[in-house]
Amino acid sequence: NIVIYPGTFDPLTNGHTNIVERAAKIFDKLILAVASRPKKKPLLALDSRVELAKQVLSHLPNVEVIGFDGLLADFSSRHNANVI
């Protein structure tokens, strides 16, 4: 099973990290989908949010961090995810 955990993660918090760590034990692969969402005027640029998440979650081998812009449904289809 491939699960997607979407959000802006501006910034990634200990709560987000806790959810990822628990979900990573349940699913074969977890994709942290960092949404661009420029209309929300995030504090950090997308690249910074993605890099921060990669660093924080690097201890989890089945977690991948990917930035995206567009519809979550399209992103999910591209990555063959079956759970959001």
Side-chain angles (χ1 to χ4, degrees):
N1 287 328
I2 299 174
V3 63
I4 292 183
Y5 180 15
T8 54
F9 304 106
D10 185 39
L12 185 70
T13 66
N14 289 337
H16 296 129
T17 302
N18 181 267
I19 290 169
V20 171
E21 288 172 341
R22 289 186 290 136
K25 294 176 185 175
I26 299 170
F27 297 97
D28 299 323
K29 180 177 181 180
L30 184 144
I31 299 172
L32 187 82
V34 183
S36 173
R37 300 289 300 201
K39 289 184 179 181
K40 284 183 79 173
K41 298 182 181 175
L43 297 174
L44 301 172
L46 177 62
D47 292 342
S48 297
R49 290 181 277 141
V50 168
E51 187 56 37
L52 176 64
K54 284 181 178 180
Q55 290 175 13
V56 170
L57 302 171
S58 64
H59 66 287
L60 300 168
N62 63 330
V63 173
E64 183 176 2
V65 179
I66 303 172
F68 80 100
D69 188 18
L71 297 176
L72 180 59
D74 293 339
F75 181 85
S76 299
S77 292
R78 281 195 307 274
H79 294 280
N80 299 316
N82 51 355
V83 178
I84 298 175

